[in-house]
Amino acid sequence: MPQLDLMTSLAIETFAHSIQAVFLLGFAALLMYYHKYYQRDYLGYWAFACFAFGPGEIIRAFLAGSAMVVPESALSWSSGLQGIALTCQYLAISFIALGASCAAFNKKPQNYWQYIAYGVSLVGGIISYFWLDPTISDAGNTPNAGFMRFLVTGVALVAISLLMWRKLGSGIGPKLVSGGFFSIGFKNLIVLSVIFSLPGNAVDWALSFQALLNIIIIAAIIVGIIIWLLESERNTAVRAIQRAEYLHTHDALTGVSNRDQLVSKIPLFIEYCRSNNRQLTIMLVGVSRFKVVNENIGIRGGDQVLKEIARRLQNFRKQPLAVSRISGDVFALAFDHLKSRSLIKDLAAELQDTLSNPIEVGDKTLNIAAGIGIARYPQHGSRSEVLLNKATIALTQAKQSHQPSVTVYERGMDEMYSYLVDMEPILRRAMQENEFTLYLQPQFDFDHQQLCGFEALIRWQHPKRGLLSPAEFLPYIEQLGLSTELDDWVLNNAAAILASWKQKFGLCWPIAVNLSAPQFQHFQLIEKMQQLLEDYEISPEWLELEITENVAMSDLHNGMSVIQRLREMGFGISIDDFGTGHSSLAYLRSLPINKIKIDRSFVSELQQNNNDVTILKAMIRLSHGLGKRVIAEGIETQEQQDMLQKLGCDMMQGYFYSPPMRLQFAEQFIERQIQGDKKPLPPGEFATAF
Ligand code: C2E
Ligand code: CA
Ligand code: CA
């Protein structure tokens, strides 16, 4: 190895350090720009690393250069400058480490790590300055600053590069960068071993050569970072495209496919079924009264319920060909193995069972019921939209009844469905335009032989079809989910009538209002009733709420506490159509109501059916025993009236006494009562202990 003279060696060093300094400062500016533009934290740290490295290299270039001009003066101030250069270098290593951890773990290191890194760098610099000989020569004998520089940077960079290699993905960019760090670190360790083992001449060569090598490696790292950025930008774009594609075909909330995806898949299923002689069954599963679920537990809770339903459908025992959410609360399943109608119905019933298991949402437990509508290929059509439409029609039918059922599409259902679709805007308009009116049917008290109240019964004054009875429009109101709106309207109107009576007569005869199931189950019913009392300044005992037995029983626990609250507020509660449900007598004891209303069917059968007389007698006796009053409805003849009175019935309502009538006639009725010196019966007479 030729002897490297001092001047050449210093010239190479000056050149290499100057180039590195320019490189590093330029690189720092570039990284800072990338950091601002791409918002990657690790770029920020590495920009600082370059800013820190730069001055260190300037100092080294300056020291080497000045040693060429005035060799003897160099040592007098070099140790101070070397100390600063080393501090800068340790700081740079700290920044590289912080940036690497940021990139590897994809999050900014905690603040205390940053402080530790800065502290260690500073302490390293101070130690180098005070205790270590700044020269490198004769390094084998005493540890000096140069020795420490190569050792610390070598070990740190190798460790950092190994961490990055392991943690960062397979891209070329990260590999090039970690490879670059590794090369510098490894090179520093080699230089260290050269310092230890080879003669001074070789050390001079190694030191000069390594400085030049640094430039090449730093250039490689710059290229690596640029490739890395481009790669990660591309990955982000690819991920965004994939996400968009996913959302295009999937439901973002539940992860199952969406309607579009199902529509495009059905033709493939049909093709498969056609060539394998199979039948395709499309089942639409609709959650019953999902609006009420949402109102009760909030939209987020509702989302949880939908997710759980999707999960149960996906894990269903008979793996469907597809599970899809086609609208808010409707899921679709496709099966290809169901041959007979009975198999289909069994499977649908099993599905209903699966969904009826309680769902936990937060601290609440929910029981949902689902209706199922079914359409099949080839029987009902061979196009996606046709099959889905027919299944939707069947589902509408399935959800009609209080207890949702399983319905297979049949001819003729279409007309009913399109009628329903046409009805919606008409009904909404009727509500807005106040086309509904309340008729009042008087009720008669046997003991006091006088009027004891009214039942409010709704009528629709249709602009073309004249006066319509509830049977002609209530089913549509129910199916369209407008029951609570209609009931609110009735409650407000009944309250307004009571308020006007208070003004007009100074007295009020109670009015009974029918509550639909959704209204009774509405989570804000209590608040609504409270508001009603305040808005119209009426007394709660003037309003009686009629709920049917099945509605009161359907959710016994909640139902019971709602009734209890309403009773505590002072409202009268009566069980309508009593005797037609399943559980009447058994549960009568536990319901905190104050009145039962014996169904019309018992009354009309009275004369023919002795059995009914016995049952009626038992009902009335039991009710009285429990402190509840009994009213019979639908009394049309003198005989019926006499018989019921004999059986101990307290009140009656029916055409025999009076049909439902317009408000003005009801008021005339009241006026006659007042003229006959009859007053409303005191509430105590109604609200017997419960
Ligand atoms: P409901 O609660 O059982 O009401 C009694 C029904 O029997 C009324 O029919 C009434 O007009 C009728 N009625 C009264 N006396 C006699 C009688 O002596 N003989 C016969 N055959 N019928 C009699 P309407 O008004 O057609 O109401 C039918 C059903 O519609 C009601 O049955 C109730 O379930 C529902 N409904 C009526 N108005 C409302 C309302 O404002 N809100 C709600 N949610 N439902 C209502
Ligand atoms: Ca009623
Ligand atoms: Ca009734």
Side-chain angles (χ1 to χ4, degrees):
M1 193 177 286
Q3 189 73 31
L4 193 66
D5 73 80
L6 182 64
M7 274 304 165
T8 318
S9 151
L10 286 174
I12 294 177
E13 250 188 79
T14 312
F15 170 75
H17 287 307
S18 313
I19 293 289
Q20 273 189 63
V22 172
F23 239 65
L24 286 165
L25 291 176
F27 192 25
L30 185 71
L31 283 179
M32 214 52 199
Y33 169 75
Y34 279 154
H35 167 58
K36 290 257 150 43
Y37 190 81
Y38 291 105
Q39 299 287 316
R40 306 271 148 81
D41 288 326
Y42 65 89
L43 291 179
Y45 284 116
W46 289 349
F48 282 126
C50 294
F51 275 128
F53 258 128
E57 292 306 312
I58 292 175
I59 291 173
R60 291 220 175 79
F62 174 74
L63 284 177
S66 58
M68 278 164 68
V69 187
V70 265
E72 66 284 2
S73 71
L75 272 181
S76 62
W77 25 276
S78 75
S79 88
L81 285 179
Q82 284 277 15
I84 295 173
L86 272 172
T87 311
C88 287
Q89 195 159 31
Y90 292 149
L91 205 56
I93 294 290
S94 297
F95 281 128
I96 291 179
L98 291 171
S101 125
C102 198
F105 301 108
N106 209 7
K107 64 169 195 248
K108 250 182 145 165
Q110 299 281 358
N111 274 349
Y112 60 82
W113 276 118
Q114 306 199 31
Y115 299 136
I116 290 175
Y118 306 147
V120 167
S121 317
L122 204 65
V123 171
I126 293 171
I127 291 175
S128 315
Y129 176 70
F130 284 110
W131 285 286
L132 302 177
D133 177 359
T135 55
I136 288 175
S137 52
D138 296 326
N141 309 329
T142 48
N144 58 39
F147 169 86
M148 283 307 281
R149 168 159 74 101
F150 284 109
L151 181 67
V152 172
T153 53
V155 171
L157 284 175
V158 166
I160 289 169
S161 67
L162 291 180
L163 169 84
M164 284 176 64
W165 191 275
R166 268 199 52 203
K167 286 275 177 190
L168 292 171
S170 52
I172 298 175
K175 292 271 180 276
L176 208 56
V177 175
S178 44
F181 286 149
F182 181 81
S183 309
I184 297 184
F186 192 62
K187 177 217 70 187
N188 284 4
L189 294 179
I190 290 181
V191 171
L192 201 65
S193 63
V194 168
I195 294 172
F196 262 111
S197 54
L198 297 183
N201 181 35
V203 172
D204 287 346
W205 272 107
L207 288 177
S208 306
F209 180 70
Q210 71 87 29
L212 288 174
L213 199 61
N214 268 356
I215 300 173
I216 297 168
I217 301 176
I218 289 173
I221 292 177
I222 298 178
V223 173
I225 288 182
I226 292 171
I227 294 176
W228 185 352
L229 274 179
L230 293 179
E231 277 175 345
S232 88
E233 279 305 285
R234 193 179 148 271
N235 288 344
T236 312
V238 168
R239 271 201 297 277
I241 291 168
Q242 282 169 346
R243 179 83 190 139
E245 270 172 10
Y246 178 83
L247 288 181
H248 191 63
T249 54
H250 285 76
D251 171 41
L253 176 70
T254 59
V256 298
S257 61
N258 62 14
R259 188 190 175 101
D260 287 350
Q261 169 86 332
L262 183 70
V263 167
S264 63
K265 268 190 186 167
I266 289 178
L268 306 178
F269 296 154
I270 288 181
E271 197 41 53
Y272 170 76
C273 289
R274 197 201 313 270
S275 46
N276 290 282
N277 198 20
R278 285 174 168 235
Q279 292 174 351
L280 183 69
T281 306
I282 303 289
M283 282 192 191
L284 294 195
V285 179
V287 185
S288 179
R289 294 203 297 277
F290 188 66
K291 210 172 131 224
V292 179
V293 173
N294 260 343
E295 283 167 349
N296 278 329
I297 57 171
I299 303 282
R300 275 168 182 243
D303 285 354
Q304 290 304 107
V305 172
L306 290 173
K307 278 188 190 168
E308 176 58 19
I309 293 173
R311 196 190 64 75
R312 290 188 190 177
L313 295 179
Q314 280 175 309
N315 297 336
F316 187 54
R317 184 178 63 82
K318 287 272 181 203
Q319 195 74 49
L321 289 176
V323 178
S324 162
R325 179 170 166 229
I326 62 168
S327 67
D329 57 356
V330 180
F331 290 84
L333 301 167
F335 294 98
D336 66 338
H337 62 278
L338 300 170
K339 279 225 164 87
S340 71
R341 233 179 138 89
S342 67
L343 270 180
I344 293 177
K345 288 219 161 185
D346 287 350
L347 192 83
E350 199 182 323
L351 256 179
Q352 279 186 314
D353 266 3
T354 311
L355 296 178
S356 68
N357 289 331
I359 297 178
E360 309 264 329
V361 179
D363 55 355
K364 290 196 174 142
T365 305
L366 263 114
N367 290 299
I368 58 153
I372 297 186
I374 298 167
R376 305 168 75 192
Y377 160 84
Q379 293 88 334
H380 303 135
S382 53
R383 284 186 23 234
S384 310
E385 287 295 351
V386 172
L387 285 174
L388 282 178
N389 277 345
K390 294 195 166 163
T392 306
I393 291 167
L395 176 64
T396 313
Q397 188 98 344
K399 280 170 78 176
Q400 263 169 35
S401 51
H402 187 63
Q403 198 56 40
S405 60
V406 175
T407 306
V408 181
Y409 172 81
E410 270 164 28
R411 239 179 264 277
M413 283 182 182
D414 308 52
E415 288 96 70
M416 160 77 194
Y417 182 73
S418 56
Y419 186 64
L420 194 63
V421 172
D422 293 346
M423 276 305 267
E424 176 156 13
I426 299 174
L427 282 168
R428 283 191 187 277
R429 198 210 56 226
M431 253 187 247
Q432 272 160 14
E433 315 246 306
N434 261 331
E435 287 175 12
F436 293 107
T437 54
L438 283 186
Y439 270 48
L440 297 173
Q441 185 174 31
Q443 299 172 333
F444 182 75
D445 186 285
F446 287 129
D447 289 346
H448 300 83
Q449 290 290 306
Q450 70 162 78
L451 173 78
C452 60
F454 296 87
E455 178 179 4
L457 294 159
I458 195 157
R459 301 287 179 265
W460 182 5
Q461 189 63 54
H462 195 282
K464 293 201 188 97
R465 294 166 59 199
L467 194 68
L468 302 183
S469 72
E472 291 169 273
F473 60 88
L474 274 191
Y476 305 111
I477 296 262
E478 248 168 57
Q479 284 161 43
L480 290 165
L482 299 174
S483 297
T484 42
E485 271 112 314
L486 187 85
D487 283 9
D488 286 345
W489 184 92
V490 174
L491 279 169
N492 274 287
N493 275 268
I497 292 173
L498 287 167
S500 77
W501 286 351
K502 190 170 97 174
Q503 280 254 314
K504 213 185 255 179
F505 307 120
L507 302 165
C508 268
W509 269 263
I511 296 180
V513 171
N514 293 282
L515 286 196
S516 64
Q519 178 76 328
F520 179 63
Q521 287 154 0
H522 196 278
F523 73 113
Q524 277 177 328
L525 177 66
I526 304 289
E527 286 85 346
K528 279 196 215 178
M529 297 307 294
Q530 188 60 46
Q531 195 62 44
L532 203 68
L533 297 182
E534 285 164 21
D535 289 351
Y536 294 92
E537 296 180 352
I538 51 166
S539 176
E541 60 267 18
W542 301 339
L543 257 188
E544 187 177 273
L545 306 173
E546 289 189 9
I547 42 174
T548 64
E549 193 183 348
N550 285 342
V551 170
M553 301 291 178
S554 64
D555 180 357
L556 209 56
H557 177 70
N558 283 336
M560 201 93 85
S561 68
V562 171
I563 294 176
Q564 183 86 45
R565 283 293 309 280
L566 290 168
R567 290 287 293 125
E568 281 162 10
M569 287 167 78
F571 292 103
I573 309 274
S574 70
I575 296 291
D576 205 355
D577 303 344
F578 189 78
T580 52
H582 323 283
S583 44
S584 15
L585 291 175
Y587 284 97
L588 189 58
R589 207 177 293 275
S590 47
L591 281 178
I593 45 124
N594 55 315
K595 198 194 249 179
I596 67 162
K597 210 169 175 183
I598 293 174
D599 190 63
R600 199 163 59 225
S601 57
F602 282 98
V603 177
S604 58
E605 295 277 305
L606 262 187
Q607 281 124 325
Q608 291 95 28
N609 198 332
N610 254 339
N611 219 357
D612 276 1
V613 177
T614 323
I615 297 176
L616 261 186
K617 221 189 246 171
M619 272 186 196
I620 294 170
R621 196 168 297 153
L622 179 67
S623 303
H624 282 164
L626 295 168
K628 302 176 199 305
R629 306 201 82 209
V630 182
I631 182 168
E633 65 180 351
I635 294 174
E636 295 178 348
T637 64
Q638 178 81 51
E639 291 79 41
Q640 286 170 345
Q641 189 221 255
D642 294 347
M643 216 155 167
L644 280 156
Q645 196 172 2
K646 222 163 59 205
L647 286 170
C649 208
D650 305 294
M651 291 161 276
M652 68 149 179
Q653 177 184 340
Y655 296 163
F656 178 66
Y657 182 50
S658 162
M661 54 178 78
R662 285 183 184 283
L663 176 63
Q664 73 198 83
F665 297 120
E667 289 182 347
Q668 288 173 9
F669 220 96
I670 292 177
E671 276 158 11
R672 277 202 299 277
Q673 295 284 313
I674 294 174
Q675 282 158 13
D677 214 17
K678 306 268 188 196
K679 290 205 166 63
L681 298 171
E685 289 284 328
F686 282 78
T688 327
F690 55 88

mmCIF file of all heavy atoms in Angstrom, residues 455 514 546 576 597, ligand 2:
data_model
loop_
_atom_site.group_PDB
_atom_site.id
_atom_site.type_symbol
_atom_site.label_atom_id
_atom_site.label_comp_id
_atom_site.label_asym_id
_atom_site.label_seq_id
_atom_site.Cartn_x
_atom_site.Cartn_y
_atom_site.Cartn_z
ATOM 1 N N GLU A 455 -115.800 6.932 23.975
ATOM 2 C CA GLU A 455 -114.607 6.387 23.323
ATOM 3 C C GLU A 455 -114.398 7.178 22.039
ATOM 4 O O GLU A 455 -115.359 7.402 21.285
ATOM 5 C CB GLU A 455 -114.769 4.900 22.987
ATOM 6 C CG GLU A 455 -113.521 4.365 22.255
ATOM 7 C CD GLU A 455 -113.569 2.877 21.905
ATOM 8 O OE1 GLU A 455 -114.599 2.226 22.158
ATOM 9 O OE2 GLU A 455 -112.558 2.395 21.372
ATOM 10 N N ASN A 514 -107.858 4.889 21.767
ATOM 11 C CA ASN A 514 -107.213 3.608 21.441
ATOM 12 C C ASN A 514 -105.736 3.823 21.126
ATOM 13 O O ASN A 514 -105.391 4.677 20.317
ATOM 14 C CB ASN A 514 -107.876 2.990 20.207
ATOM 15 C CG ASN A 514 -109.310 2.586 20.504
ATOM 16 O OD1 ASN A 514 -109.546 1.561 21.120
ATOM 17 N ND2 ASN A 514 -110.262 3.423 20.100
ATOM 18 N N GLU A 546 -106.862 2.920 25.898
ATOM 19 C CA GLU A 546 -107.269 1.538 25.647
ATOM 20 C C GLU A 546 -106.154 0.826 24.900
ATOM 21 O O GLU A 546 -105.720 1.275 23.842
ATOM 22 C CB GLU A 546 -108.540 1.490 24.785
ATOM 23 C CG GLU A 546 -109.765 1.947 25.520
ATOM 24 C CD GLU A 546 -111.055 1.688 24.727
ATOM 25 O OE1 GLU A 546 -111.014 1.006 23.681
ATOM 26 O OE2 GLU A 546 -112.104 2.175 25.173
ATOM 27 N N ASP A 576 -108.615 -3.494 26.048
ATOM 28 C CA ASP A 576 -109.626 -3.564 24.992
ATOM 29 C C ASP A 576 -109.736 -5.002 24.476
ATOM 30 O O ASP A 576 -108.785 -5.782 24.604
ATOM 31 C CB ASP A 576 -109.172 -2.642 23.847
ATOM 32 C CG ASP A 576 -110.327 -2.160 23.000
ATOM 33 O OD1 ASP A 576 -111.458 -2.607 23.234
ATOM 34 O OD2 ASP A 576 -110.076 -1.329 22.107
ATOM 35 N N LYS A 597 -112.410 -4.314 29.091
ATOM 36 C CA LYS A 597 -113.475 -4.047 28.144
ATOM 37 C C LYS A 597 -113.782 -5.355 27.430
ATOM 38 O O LYS A 597 -112.958 -5.843 26.640
ATOM 39 C CB LYS A 597 -112.961 -2.992 27.154
ATOM 40 C CG LYS A 597 -114.049 -2.146 26.621
ATOM 41 C CD LYS A 597 -113.483 -0.952 25.876
ATOM 42 C CE LYS A 597 -114.625 -0.196 25.265
ATOM 43 N NZ LYS A 597 -114.174 0.926 24.460
HETATM 44 CA CA CA B 2 -111.381 0.457 21.685
#
